[in-house]
Amino acid sequence: MDLELNDIQQELASTLGKYLRTEYDTAARDAILASDEGISREKWQQFAEMGLTGLTIPEGYGGAEMTFAEVAVVLEAFGRSLVLEPFVATAVLGANAVLLAGSEEQKQAILPGVAEGQTFLAVAALEPGQRYALAQPSTTATAAGDGVTLSGEKNGVLGGDVADHFIVTAVENGELGLFLVAADAAGLTRVAHRQADGLGSASLRFADTPAQRLNAADARAVLDEVVDLGNAAIMAEAVGAMEASLTMTAEYLKTREQFGAPIGANQALQHRAADLYADLEYARSMALFARLAVTAEGEGAEKDRHRDVIAAKIVVDSTSRHVAQESIQMHGGIGMTMEYPIGHYAKRLTVISRTFDDADSLTAELAQIGGLIEPHAADLS
Amino acid sequence: MDLELNDIQQELASTLGKYLRTEYDTAARDAILASDEGISREKWQQFAEMGLTGLTIPEGYGGAEMTFAEVAVVLEAFGRSLVLEPFVATAVLGANAVLLAGSEEQKQAILPGVAEGQTFLAVAALEPGQRYALAQPSTTATAAGDGVTLSGEKNGVLGGDVADHFIVTAVENGELGLFLVAADAAGLTRVAHRQADGLGSASLRFADTPAQRLNAADARAVLDEVVDLGNAAIMAEAVGAMEASLTMTAEYLKTREQFGAPIGANQALQHRAADLYADLEYARSMALFARLAVTAEGEGAEKDRHRDVIAAKIVVDSTSRHVAQESIQMHGGIGMTMEYPIGHYAKRLTVISRTFDDADSLTAELAQIGGLIEPHAADLS
Amino acid sequence: MDTLLSAEEREFAQQMRQFYRTEIPEELRFKVATGQELTKDDMVTSQRILNANGYAVPHWPVEWGGQDWTPVQRHIWLEEMQLASVPAPLPFNVSMVGPVIATFGSQELGQRFLPATANLDIWWSQGFSEPNAGSDLASLTTSAVRSGDKYIVNGQKTWTTLGQYGDWIFMLVRTDPEVKKQAGISFLLIDMKSPGVTVRPIQLIDGGHEVNEVFFDNVEVPVENLVGEENKGWTYAKFLLGNERTGIARIGASKVNLARAKAYAAVTKTATGTLLDDPLFSARLTRLEAELTALEMTQLRILSTQAAGSEKPDPRSSVLKLKGSQLQEDISEILVDVLGPQGLDFVTDRVQGEGLTDLPLGAVDALPAYFNTRKVTIYGGSSEVQRGIISKALLGL
Amino acid sequence: MDTLLSAEEREFAQQMRQFYRTEIPEELRFKVATGQELTKDDMVTSQRILNANGYAVPHWPVEWGGQDWTPVQRHIWLEEMQLASVPAPLPFNVSMVGPVIATFGSQELGQRFLPATANLDIWWSQGFSEPNAGSDLASLTTSAVRSGDKYIVNGQKTWTTLGQYGDWIFMLVRTDPEVKKQAGISFLLIDMKSPGVTVRPIQLIDGGHEVNEVFFDNVEVPVENLVGEENKGWTYAKFLLGNERTGIARIGASKVNLARAKAYAAVTKTATGTLLDDPLFSARLTRLEAELTALEMTQLRILSTQAAGSEKPDPRSSVLKLKGSQLQEDISEILVDVLGPQGLDFVTDRVQGEGLTDLPLGAVDALPAYFNTRKVTIYGGSSEVQRGIISKALLGL
């Protein structure tokens, strides 16, 4: 059994960590956050040069052809530095949707641009009034020539503010389908939003908008896999963000003085910090559990994947809430200011714990599919 | 607004408190607990002489004709001393069932004996396989002469180990009814049990057992009211038990030394004790809320009664669990021994929090009947 | 809980309810009820109406416009105000500096300031906290050095709520650096237009600008602006901080917010019905309702003791602060969770335009309110401070 | 989690699984699986079978019957043992006194005691805790005074688990009262049949007799019963207590119990279906399942680091103890709650007789187990001690 990072992953973590510590420190991030687009295209270009934007894209399309394990390494580092660029939207959700559902031609058209850092993608699946449900969109697709036209509305489109292409769910002839839409397509309206954590999103309206079918695989299966990957990705990011939060909080407890002593001398705070540490270990374990689930192969792996990912997210979500709330509380007022980094971590964690569903719905879903343990009692045959 | 005890209640609390502190101390209680019956008939007689066993029984039947407010005073004191005698079973559940559902003749036959401390009662409503549900017993009643005969089985009959008469739920011609059964009736089998807290209970089997109808009022309404009264009663008892637990725990924290200082000098324990105190205030408030609900009169009082009682029990149940678990934890190993009183309190609280239903079912029920607050938003018409 | 009130109390409640709902403009109350930000004008308007009717400062001495009310009446006044979503009178004026001036200031100081304070003609800011004096307030270092008939004030205050609107600021300043920290503090009133006073906004993670830093650079303050005696400021501050602790539970406001969460949940569709029917969500709501009831009963129990004659501040009010603030945070969280994925954006308007569906009710304010509400377990004596008080004062640890 | 294992590890797991399920009598495993109390004979039987096959003391030095296994193999050995509900080898023998004698005792002492200890021919009791030395173990006062070739032992030990079966007891005794408390302690082996040794049962609130007080009244102990050097006992005790911390999470046993709660819930009827369909109950179960998985992954992560070469005890094992013990308590609680109103009686048999329905599955053991399980957050380093270790060793506070 070996759950440690391999040499390549360690090297990746180390290189990227060094880069982010120097090039993506608080000041750099604050400047990006205050910019019009809220992201740095220059940084994105550098990520591309480091092979990150095409990390899991096959070499044939200009990517690095690595696995999700490396994605997790990147996202843990990104979480630690609260990277604002739409990596999950483009390199995880978007690229995998195209990779799984696109034709050879579509992959050739889209993926090299992603790998080169020229193209942003976004998956548009949520709809107003549908909460977290994805399976039955009211957006419709109607055949038109080679492709289709889409009509309907999407919201909460992560990375949708800057996306060049959208992967959109819609129903065609009663069947769920995935469709590729260019950001400059006719009849497409985009309203950009900013999430609480500073990441961009968008609402979209389609009015007979021309689109291509992405139908090299079953749309539902692709959507499920992409969301599982996205969940696994933000769990790794959450772990990075929580680790940074806890480090920062422990440091604050050691240096902030009140009543003539560091506040960390208070045993009540020590014990609560210990509980945070223990919870973070759980989250770290479950982010790993999710990562293993989405990279597993062999019989039953697909069936177990979703189950394991949501089990992991239940733990990571509640830990994220716990860490975000306690980090601010232990910092006191300063934890609520934009000047001080801890609040930014809390905001990212607050968003992550409600992205792709929240812990209560996931708990109900996991219970409904039978949970993780088989019922068994020796005295019950 | 006046939520304080009145003079009579203060006097009752003070007299009873004094009696219990001297006559029902740990040694006396331990002896009763170790006795065959697990109760002291002598103490019960003294309670009768103090007017307690017939506290809410009208004077016409030999009682003190007081209200539930005085019952709450008695039970809070009983909770503080962990009284083992079946006061809730006889004087609250049993007496009120007879009072509400019995004919004049039946009341004359039963209630004076209760007031005099000669008669124990028990309500038999739970059944195997029915969990906490009471509305549709499988025990049946069949007309036979003036009365009926009962067939079926009951369990969890609080105070059923010593009861002289049972008030039993059964279905007669498809309708829920209440029936009075003498403990020595033909075809009645009783198996006595001891609850974890030392209180007695029983399982009963009826095989064509002769019984009288208690049908002066609607059986369902009587049953609901009796259970609400029982719940309000054990909440008062829980408050007394929790108060004693917290006092004892605080005392232990002040006196027990480890590493050269009282363990209460540890801020982590101080803060957890403070949380217990705050929770206990909530429980005290909600026990009062329940007491007010069962004594309320006027329009809507009956409708609100059950709602308010279960809302109260949700809070008292979770507080009871919290206090029981933390009291033992803060005592350490000694808290798990029979020699030291704290564990006995924990046991009573553990039982109370699962008597007449548990917090989760009550939460679901309260949600189902609409909760305590009307939905309202100014921007939603 | 109306049934717990006496006939007279009930009538009083009815009267307050009627007043608030007819006299305070509905548009203001709508703003409060839906979590919109109030302008300075909104707050001034509301307070002047209250004041004109004797309801801005009922807890002040009658001489200065107060009412001779029982603790229960004061509770009803506040509870009904919150239930009607009336913008509250500015606490810096009515709960803080006003009572201090009325109790410890000279008659002259009272005449100069109190009528204008009650009517919000002067907007007061609070100058207590400093960057290195948070929970340990008495370690403050802003100095006031006597020079003739003036004090020269130097230093920095922080967390000055709504200081951007402030006309005057009441300050704790160090007038004697040689003695024990609590013994060298004075209570000083400073005109914020004085030369040398600079207000700098602090941006908060809720996206807003609620608090400020205030810098004092050789600010000259006439000695007559001293309240009470020099070096007695700590006593006045403790009086101020102990005031109205019961109101801090904000039960009325929590009721309004919880009712709102419930109403929104009832119109939020899920796969099987509405969110209000969802077992886990409704259980969470229901537990909060039960807790809110427990909080209210606890407040009433404490009031009942006071009504029955005890006049001492009740240490159990720490329970109200501890529990009430936690409950406010929990309610602010459920208001976010009602929104699901639509509760993640910071937006200024529910209307997206461009033919897009409006965002759901609560989408504008829930998330900022969630972040803003983090403060309630920090300020006014943090939860940690309250636990300390409870363990010491009530458990003897 | 089988998929995380290498092919060899998986084969090893299969081999252990097979062994436990074929070689350990089913009636013993049934007793464990259903929470029944084991007799002394049951435990002896099980351990002797394990020992005969080299599986009682795999973590001992090979010289004394141990196996040269990796940390992962040891984990599998224990995990599969718990999953198969095999009565565990007596920890006082195999995890405590055995490793101490093997590591610090003389060759002669080893020969005298270790084979019999591995085979449970000697039943060891633990004599560490004293009435006034709980978490602060080093403050113990039981004295051993050298007199010729004997020690004279006086004092009292407590919480001696299963001391009623004890043949020998390993003790921490004070041999030098003059020095710093940790420095004057020795590790002594005492024959419990020695004159002056008295065992007194302590009744617990679970209704059972699991622990004892042991009194020593001028007990004569030959000096050759000293382990290692005089006054070095604290070092040996720390070694002993640090041993096998990962096993303390009891993940396999928790899996068995949670599966049991789930199975019982599935056959418990409610108004609308079974308890397993009840949304709040199943949510509670599901959260526990997710937590148990998190605990297991955490254990595997720690093992993986060890497997990769690090040999130091990992302070993260405090996380395993803290979380694992809490989870055991939570699972013990849900096993009570499955029973509803039928989980409130202490009964010795599910059969009520007299024509009455049998009590539900779990009715005999759930409630005693719930009370008994309170100990797991108290002993072996309480949760408070673990939080202290984490905040100090891992957070630097």
Side-chain angles (χ1 to χ4, degrees):
Chain A
M1 192 182 64
D2 187 7
L3 302 174
E4 303 299 296
L5 297 183
N6 66 27
D7 289 351
I8 293 173
Q9 292 157 355
Q10 278 184 22
E11 172 67 22
L12 176 61
S14 149
T15 310
L16 183 55
K18 208 172 299 170
Y19 168 82
L20 293 170
R21 275 192 300 279
T22 54
E23 303 296 316
Y24 217 104
D25 60 6
T26 304
R29 182 181 185 275
D30 284 349
I32 296 171
L33 189 63
S35 70
D36 275 354
E37 275 202 320
I39 62 167
S40 161
R41 287 181 183 263
E42 187 196 335
K43 290 280 188 300
W44 187 254
Q45 199 50 52
Q46 290 166 356
F47 295 152
E49 282 155 21
M50 294 160 83
L52 305 184
T53 62
L55 200 61
T56 57
I57 294 176
E59 289 180 359
Y61 310 110
E65 200 162 338
M66 288 188 163
T67 71
F68 187 83
E70 285 74 35
V71 172
V73 168
V74 170
L75 276 164
E76 202 172 310
F78 278 10
R80 223 171 272 129
S81 296
L82 291 183
V83 166
L84 291 159
E85 285 69 27
F87 184 83
V88 172
T90 296
V92 180
L93 300 173
N96 279 292
V98 172
L99 206 49
L100 291 167
S103 65
E104 184 55 32
E105 199 181 337
Q106 288 167 328
K107 290 191 259 191
Q108 287 291 359
I110 301 289
L111 297 176
V114 172
E116 287 159 20
Q118 298 303 313
T119 306
F120 290 120
L121 303 178
V123 171
L126 294 167
E127 294 191 354
Q130 292 254 34
R131 232 176 139 69
Y132 293 105
L134 303 178
Q136 295 175 317
S138 34
T139 299
T140 56
T142 311
D146 278 357
V148 297
T149 59
L150 300 185
S151 289
E153 188 176 340
K154 298 286 174 184
N155 64 19
V157 182
L158 189 63
D161 55 329
V162 295
D164 302 299
H165 298 278
F166 294 100
I167 295 92
V168 184
T169 57
V171 169
E172 183 181 12
N173 299 324
E175 298 275 321
L176 181 72
L178 290 168
F179 302 89
L180 188 65
V181 178
D184 57 2
L188 171 58
T189 309
R190 149 156 70 182
V191 172
H193 291 299
R194 282 281 184 99
Q195 295 185 155
D197 54 12
L199 268 68
S201 73
S203 298
L204 305 177
R205 195 164 68 83
F206 304 96
D208 297 324
T209 306
Q212 299 176 26
R213 293 187 187 88
L214 279 167
N215 56 2
D218 176 64
R220 181 62 202 264
V222 171
L223 186 61
D224 287 350
E225 181 163 352
V226 166
V227 172
D228 284 343
L229 286 169
N231 253 325
I234 59 174
M235 282 189 245
E237 189 181 351
V239 165
M242 286 192 272
E243 191 184 278
S245 294
L246 185 55
T247 304
M248 213 173 284
T249 300
E251 194 53 37
Y252 188 77
L253 293 178
K254 273 178 259 187
T255 51
R256 168 73 171 172
E257 300 215 347
Q258 292 272 283
F259 302 103
I263 56 177
N266 291 305
Q267 193 201 35
L269 294 184
Q270 290 172 358
H271 281 204
R272 279 161 55 187
D275 283 335
L276 287 180
Y277 186 93
D279 267 14
L280 173 54
E281 283 296 309
Y282 263 23
R284 199 187 296 279
S285 296
M286 290 311 261
L288 173 61
F289 189 63
R291 191 253 277 174
L292 295 169
V294 300
T295 50
E297 286 169 11
E299 208 186 333
E302 205 167 324
K303 198 182 121 286
D304 293 347
R305 188 195 67 221
H306 183 60
R307 182 198 64 191
D308 290 355
V309 167
I310 63 177
K313 190 84 188 320
I314 290 168
V315 173
V316 173
D317 279 4
S318 52
T319 307
S320 295
R321 291 187 189 217
H322 182 205
V323 171
Q325 292 172 357
E326 279 284 74
S327 299
I328 292 181
Q329 182 69 23
M330 291 194 190
H331 274 80
I334 205 161
M336 292 182 61
T337 66
M338 288 294 277
E339 287 168 75
Y340 207 85
I342 194 74
H344 296 265
Y345 287 89
K347 292 214 280 188
R348 180 70 189 126
L349 291 170
T350 300
V351 170
I352 285 179
S353 63
R354 291 163 178 87
T355 299
F356 308 125
D357 228 324
D358 60 11
D360 271 359
S361 321
L362 294 172
T363 303
E365 185 184 349
L366 182 55
Q368 212 268 320
I369 61 177
L372 295 154
I373 288 180
E374 285 295 312
H376 172 77
D379 47 6
L380 191 75
S381 50
Chain B
M1 192 182 65
D2 186 9
L3 301 174
E4 302 299 295
L5 297 184
N6 66 28
D7 289 349
I8 293 174
Q9 292 158 356
Q10 276 183 24
E11 172 66 22
L12 176 61
S14 149
T15 310
L16 183 55
K18 207 171 298 169
Y19 169 82
L20 293 169
R21 276 191 300 278
T22 54
E23 303 296 316
Y24 217 105
D25 60 6
T26 304
R29 182 181 184 276
D30 284 351
I32 295 171
L33 189 63
S35 71
D36 276 353
E37 274 201 320
I39 62 167
S40 161
R41 287 179 183 264
E42 186 196 335
K43 289 279 189 302
W44 187 255
Q45 199 51 51
Q46 289 166 356
F47 295 151
E49 282 156 22
M50 294 161 83
L52 305 183
T53 62
L55 200 61
T56 58
I57 294 175
E59 289 181 359
Y61 309 111
E65 199 161 338
M66 290 190 162
T67 71
F68 186 82
E70 285 74 35
V71 172
V73 167
V74 169
L75 276 164
E76 202 172 309
F78 277 10
R80 223 171 273 128
S81 297
L82 291 184
V83 166
L84 291 159
E85 285 69 28
F87 184 82
V88 171
T90 296
V92 180
L93 300 172
N96 279 292
V98 172
L99 206 49
L100 290 166
S103 65
E104 183 56 33
E105 199 180 336
Q106 288 167 327
K107 289 192 260 191
Q108 287 291 1
I110 301 289
L111 298 177
V114 172
E116 286 159 21
Q118 298 304 314
T119 306
F120 290 120
L121 304 178
V123 171
L126 294 167
E127 294 191 354
Q130 293 255 33
R131 234 177 137 68
Y132 293 105
L134 303 178
Q136 295 175 316
S138 32
T139 299
T140 54
T142 311
D146 277 357
V148 298
T149 60
L150 300 185
S151 289
E153 188 177 341
K154 299 285 174 184
N155 64 20
V157 182
L158 189 63
D161 55 330
V162 293
D164 302 299
H165 298 276
F166 295 100
I167 296 91
V168 184
T169 58
V171 170
E172 182 180 12
N173 300 323
E175 299 273 323
L176 180 73
L178 289 168
F179 302 88
L180 188 65
V181 178
D184 57 2
L188 171 59
T189 309
R190 148 157 70 182
V191 173
H193 291 300
R194 282 281 184 99
Q195 296 184 154
D197 54 12
L199 269 68
S201 72
S203 298
L204 305 177
R205 195 164 67 84
F206 305 95
D208 298 324
T209 306
Q212 299 174 26
R213 294 187 187 89
L214 279 167
N215 57 2
D218 176 65
R220 180 63 200 264
V222 170
L223 185 61
D224 287 350
E225 181 163 352
V226 166
V227 172
D228 284 343
L229 286 169
N231 253 325
I234 59 175
M235 282 189 244
E237 188 181 352
V239 165
M242 286 192 271
E243 191 185 277
S245 295
L246 184 55
T247 304
M248 212 173 283
T249 302
E251 195 52 39
Y252 188 77
L253 293 178
K254 275 178 259 189
T255 50
R256 168 74 171 171
E257 300 215 347
Q258 290 273 281
F259 302 103
I263 56 176
N266 291 306
Q267 194 200 35
L269 295 185
Q270 289 171 359
H271 281 204
R272 278 161 56 187
D275 283 336
L276 288 180
Y277 185 92
D279 268 13
L280 173 54
E281 283 297 309
Y282 262 23
R284 199 187 296 279
S285 295
M286 289 311 262
L288 173 60
F289 189 64
R291 190 254 275 175
L292 294 170
V294 299
T295 49
E297 287 171 8
E299 209 185 333
E302 205 167 324
K303 198 182 122 286
D304 294 346
R305 187 195 68 220
H306 183 61
R307 181 197 65 192
D308 290 355
V309 166
I310 64 177
K313 190 87 190 317
I314 290 167
V315 173
V316 173
D317 279 4
S318 52
T319 308
S320 295
R321 291 187 189 217
H322 182 206
V323 170
Q325 292 172 357
E326 279 283 74
S327 299
I328 291 180
Q329 182 69 23
M330 291 194 190
H331 274 81
I334 204 162
M336 292 182 61
T337 66
M338 288 294 277
E339 287 168 75
Y340 207 83
I342 195 72
H344 296 264
Y345 286 90
K347 292 214 278 187
R348 180 70 189 126
L349 291 169
T350 300
V351 169
I352 284 179
S353 63
R354 291 164 178 85
T355 299
F356 308 126
D357 227 325
D358 60 11
D360 272 359
S361 321
L362 293 172
T363 302
E365 185 184 350
L366 181 56
Q368 212 268 319
I369 61 176
L372 294 154
I373 288 179
E374 285 295 312
H376 173 78
D379 47 6
L380 191 75
S381 51
Chain C
M1 310 272 169
D2 271 12
T3 51
L4 304 183
L5 302 179
S6 68
E8 296 74 34
E9 287 163 349
R10 218 164 348 204
E11 195 188 311
F12 177 76
Q14 180 53 39
Q15 175 192 329
M16 292 310 306
R17 205 171 300 159
Q18 171 83 7
F19 169 80
Y20 290 135
R21 283 162 207 258
T22 52
E23 300 301 320
I24 307 294
E26 188 164 350
E27 87 220 44
L28 290 188
R29 298 192 296 110
F30 184 82
K31 275 187 166 184
V32 173
T34 56
Q36 295 178 59
E37 217 171 310
L38 295 172
T39 65
K40 180 176 179 178
D41 278 354
D42 291 338
M43 297 176 73
V44 171
T45 301
S46 181
Q47 184 159 339
R48 288 191 183 157
I49 297 169
L50 293 171
N51 195 41
N53 290 273
Y55 296 149
V57 292
H59 47 293
W60 287 14
V62 175
E63 174 190 5
W64 297 113
Q67 305 272 7
D68 197 15
W69 283 349
T70 64
V72 174
Q73 283 178 301
R74 286 189 203 171
H75 163 75
I76 291 169
W77 164 76
L78 185 63
E79 168 88 352
E80 292 295 340
M81 187 191 295
Q82 292 179 0
L83 287 174
S85 298
V86 170
L90 192 68
F92 312 109
N93 285 37
V94 305
S95 301
M96 297 186 181
V97 74
V100 168
I101 294 176
T103 309
F104 302 107
S106 63
Q107 184 69 14
E108 194 195 342
L109 213 59
Q111 271 156 358
R112 184 172 159 210
F113 284 113
L114 289 178
T117 297
N119 205 46
L120 202 43
D121 299 334
I122 299 174
W123 184 294
W124 284 97
S125 289
Q126 182 180 21
F128 278 21
S129 287
E130 298 185 1
N132 291 311
S135 286
D136 183 10
L137 182 58
S139 65
L140 57 90
T141 60
T142 295
S143 64
V145 178
R146 181 78 180 256
S147 161
D149 57 353
K150 291 188 171 19
Y151 287 105
I152 311 299
V153 175
N154 280 287
Q156 182 195 345
K157 294 293 176 180
T158 192
W159 309 129
T160 308
T161 301
L162 301 180
Q164 64 267 45
Y165 302 147
D167 301 310
W168 281 74
I169 184 167
F170 56 93
M171 303 268 292
L172 292 181
V173 291
R174 186 155 303 285
T175 36
D176 186 347
E178 304 300 323
V179 293
K180 184 163 156 283
K181 58 186 179 180
Q182 285 83 357
I185 294 172
S186 297
F187 197 106
L188 200 60
L189 311 177
I190 302 182
D191 185 336
M192 290 179 79
K193 290 180 295 295
S194 309
V197 176
T198 314
V199 177
R200 195 183 78 85
I202 299 175
Q203 297 297 332
L204 293 186
I205 56 169
D206 62 7
H209 163 208
E210 184 177 72
V211 289
N212 301 271
E213 296 177 297
V214 187
F215 298 87
F216 299 85
D217 179 15
N218 286 315
V219 177
E220 297 188 358
V221 182
V223 289
E224 60 263 32
N225 289 8
L226 180 75
V227 178
E229 293 177 49
E230 200 175 82
N231 296 327
K232 289 278 165 69
W234 188 248
T235 308
Y236 313 153
K238 278 199 302 183
F239 164 84
L240 177 158
L241 296 169
N243 248 345
E244 298 292 307
R245 182 73 64 79
T246 53
I248 212 150
R250 293 186 59 74
I251 292 163
S254 283
K255 274 187 194 167
V256 171
N257 283 329
L258 199 48
R260 219 177 142 209
K262 218 167 157 176
Y264 294 163
V267 297
T268 302
K269 285 195 210 110
T270 65
T272 54
T274 75
L275 192 57
L276 191 57
D277 309 323
D278 178 83
L280 296 185
F281 190 87
S282 70
R284 206 175 137 196
L285 263 178
T286 303
R287 283 187 205 108
L288 292 176
E289 290 176 54
E291 280 182 38
L292 183 52
T293 307
L295 182 67
E296 183 170 17
M297 281 303 297
T298 305
Q299 170 137 335
L300 295 177
R301 281 176 46 232
I302 292 175
L303 275 174
S304 172
T305 332
Q306 292 175 343
S310 151
E311 274 295 321
K312 271 190 300 185
D314 193 317
R316 287 181 300 170
S317 58
S318 283
V319 173
L320 295 177
K321 170 63 167 69
L322 179 66
K323 289 285 198 181
S325 58
Q326 184 59 53
L327 192 58
Q328 286 176 66
E329 293 190 346
D330 291 346
I331 293 171
S332 79
E333 189 167 13
I334 208 167
L335 272 163
V336 173
D337 288 330
V338 171
L339 295 163
Q342 296 195 305
L344 303 179
D345 294 329
F346 271 166
V347 294
T348 52
D349 199 330
R350 282 183 51 217
V351 177
Q352 299 190 87
E354 308 272 6
L356 287 159
T357 308
D358 290 352
L359 296 170
L361 295 164
V364 176
D365 70 298
L367 199 54
Y370 170 75
F371 288 114
N372 185 273
T373 305
R374 299 300 103 199
K375 74 186 176 195
V376 300
T377 49
I378 296 171
Y379 73 8
S382 70
S383 294
E384 291 74 23
V385 168
Q386 303 304 336
R387 288 196 188 92
I389 293 172
I390 293 168
S391 89
K392 194 166 180 173
L394 295 165
L395 289 166
L397 296 176
Chain D
M1 310 270 170
D2 269 13
T3 53
L4 305 183
L5 302 179
S6 69
E8 296 75 35
E9 287 163 350
R10 217 162 350 200
E11 196 188 311
F12 178 75
Q14 180 54 39
Q15 174 192 331
M16 292 311 304
R17 204 170 303 158
Q18 171 84 7
F19 169 79
Y20 290 136
R21 284 162 206 258
T22 51
E23 299 302 320
I24 307 293
E26 187 165 351
E27 87 221 44
L28 290 188
R29 298 193 296 109
F30 184 82
K31 275 187 167 184
V32 173
T34 56
Q36 294 177 59
E37 217 171 310
L38 296 171
T39 64
K40 181 176 178 177
D41 277 355
D42 291 337
M43 297 175 72
V44 171
T45 301
S46 181
Q47 183 158 340
R48 289 191 182 156
I49 297 169
L50 293 171
N51 195 42
N53 289 273
Y55 296 150
V57 293
H59 48 293
W60 286 14
V62 175
E63 175 191 4
W64 298 115
Q67 305 273 6
D68 197 15
W69 282 349
T70 64
V72 173
Q73 283 178 301
R74 286 190 202 170
H75 162 76
I76 292 168
W77 164 75
L78 185 63
E79 169 89 353
E80 292 295 340
M81 187 190 296
Q82 291 178 1
L83 287 174
S85 298
V86 170
L90 192 68
F92 312 108
N93 285 36
V94 305
S95 301
M96 298 185 182
V97 75
V100 168
I101 294 175
T103 310
F104 304 106
S106 63
Q107 184 70 14
E108 193 195 345
L109 214 57
Q111 271 156 357
R112 182 170 160 211
F113 284 113
L114 288 177
T117 297
N119 206 46
L120 202 43
D121 298 334
I122 299 174
W123 185 294
W124 284 96
S125 290
Q126 181 181 21
F128 277 23
S129 289
E130 297 185 1
N132 291 311
S135 286
D136 183 11
L137 181 58
S139 65
L140 59 89
T141 59
T142 295
S143 64
V145 178
R146 179 78 180 255
S147 161
D149 58 353
K150 292 188 171 19
Y151 289 104
I152 311 299
V153 176
N154 280 288
Q156 182 195 344
K157 295 291 176 181
T158 192
W159 310 128
T160 308
T161 302
L162 301 180
Q164 64 267 44
Y165 302 147
D167 301 309
W168 282 74
I169 184 166
F170 56 93
M171 302 269 293
L172 293 181
V173 291
R174 187 156 302 286
T175 36
D176 186 346
E178 303 299 323
V179 295
K180 184 163 156 284
K181 58 185 180 181
Q182 285 82 357
I185 293 171
S186 297
F187 197 105
L188 201 59
L189 311 177
I190 302 181
D191 186 336
M192 290 179 78
K193 290 180 295 294
S194 308
V197 177
T198 316
V199 177
R200 194 184 78 86
I202 298 174
Q203 297 297 332
L204 293 185
I205 55 170
D206 63 5
H209 164 208
E210 184 178 73
V211 290
N212 302 271
E213 296 177 298
V214 186
F215 298 87
F216 300 85
D217 180 16
N218 286 316
V219 177
E220 298 188 358
V221 182
V223 291
E224 60 263 33
N225 290 8
L226 180 74
V227 178
E229 293 177 48
E230 199 176 80
N231 297 327
K232 289 278 164 69
W234 187 248
T235 308
Y236 313 153
K238 278 199 302 182
F239 164 84
L240 176 158
L241 296 169
N243 249 344
E244 297 293 306
R245 181 74 63 78
T246 53
I248 211 151
R250 293 187 58 74
I251 292 163
S254 283
K255 274 187 195 169
V256 170
N257 284 328
L258 199 49
R260 219 177 143 210
K262 218 167 157 174
Y264 294 163
V267 296
T268 302
K269 283 196 211 111
T270 65
T272 54
T274 76
L275 192 57
L276 191 57
D277 309 323
D278 178 83
L280 296 185
F281 190 86
S282 70
R284 207 174 137 197
L285 263 178
T286 303
R287 283 188 204 107
L288 292 176
E289 290 176 54
E291 279 181 40
L292 183 52
T293 306
L295 182 67
E296 182 170 18
M297 281 303 297
T298 305
Q299 169 137 335
L300 294 178
R301 281 177 45 233
I302 293 175
L303 275 174
S304 172
T305 332
Q306 293 176 342
S310 151
E311 274 295 323
K312 271 190 300 186
D314 194 316
R316 288 180 301 170
S317 58
S318 284
V319 173
L320 296 177
K321 171 63 167 71
L322 179 66
K323 290 284 200 181
S325 58
Q326 184 59 53
L327 192 57
Q328 286 176 67
E329 293 191 348
D330 290 346
I331 294 171
S332 78
E333 189 167 14
I334 209 165
L335 272 163
V336 173
D337 289 331
V338 172
L339 295 164
Q342 295 194 306
L344 303 179
D345 293 330
F346 271 164
V347 294
T348 51
D349 199 330
R350 281 183 52 218
V351 176
Q352 299 190 87
E354 309 272 7
L356 287 158
T357 308
D358 290 353
L359 296 170
L361 295 164
V364 176
D365 70 298
L367 199 55
Y370 170 75
F371 288 114
N372 185 273
T373 304
R374 299 301 103 198
K375 75 186 175 194
V376 299
T377 49
I378 296 171
Y379 72 7
S382 69
S383 294
E384 291 73 24
V385 167
Q386 303 304 336
R387 289 195 188 92
I389 292 172
I390 293 169
S391 89
K392 195 167 180 172
L394 295 164
L395 289 166
L397 296 177

